[in-house]
Amino acid sequence: METVTNTACGTTHTFEIVDTVPKGYRIWNIGKNMTDGYLPLCEILPGTNSSINIDTLKAIKIEGAQIVLAAIGGGQNTPQKMERYIKRYRNAKPGTWSYVQVKRMQAALPIIAALKFED
């Protein structure tokens, strides 16, 4: 099993390297706190909405991982959610948060859309 270890904010996590997003996993929104070139994936603990199972962390080695992590800060962590956000805020005024997020999502969408998700 290949792994990548990442230390951020005084905590070390080990991620198993995978080729696809396993069923029940989502992109973990940890922004710049992930090793460049790896997209962190997490599993939410049963019965919770946001508690992460730190014993089952996974990562996909992918170019553009930091582009995706910059774009998902508002919770749009799937191609469908990004497309809805872009459509809703396509006319956002330059300089606004929504405008910046639309630009980030437009850059991230081809990367995230290329990911393979297990059924």
Side-chain angles (χ1 to χ4, degrees):
M1 169 175 62
E2 186 179 357
T3 63
V4 62
T5 301
N6 184 63
T7 301
C9 304
T11 304
T12 299
H13 293 106
T14 300
F15 298 80
E16 177 186 355
I17 306 300
V18 295
D19 295 325
T20 60
V21 179
K23 185 176 179 140
Y25 279 73
R26 63 174 73 167
I27 299 169
W28 190 12
N29 181 18
I30 59 173
K32 295 178 183 178
N33 294 314
M34 184 60 184
T35 304
D36 284 342
Y38 292 92
L39 191 62
L41 307 173
C42 67
E43 180 180 47
I44 303 300
L45 289 169
T48 72
N49 289 327
S50 60
S51 294
I52 305 300
N53 185 347
I54 61 168
D55 296 324
T56 62
L57 297 174
K58 303 199 184 305
I60 294 178
K61 185 173 178 134
I62 186 170
E63 284 191 40
Q66 287 298 331
I67 294 168
V68 172
L69 290 171
I72 67 169
Q76 294 78 23
N77 58 357
T78 67
Q80 298 81 8
K81 289 178 181 178
M82 284 186 181
E83 288 168 354
R84 280 194 303 267
Y85 189 96
I86 291 168
K87 183 177 179 181
R88 180 175 180 187
Y89 294 102
R90 67 183 171 273
N91 296 322
K93 293 181 183 179
T96 64
W97 169 256
S98 296
Y99 180 84
V100 171
Q101 280 301 97
V102 165
K103 295 301 181 192
R104 287 177 177 166
M105 288 180 204
Q106 287 172 332
L109 195 55
I111 299 165
I112 198 172
L115 294 175
K116 295 177 184 167
F117 291 79
E118 293 180 6
D119 294 328

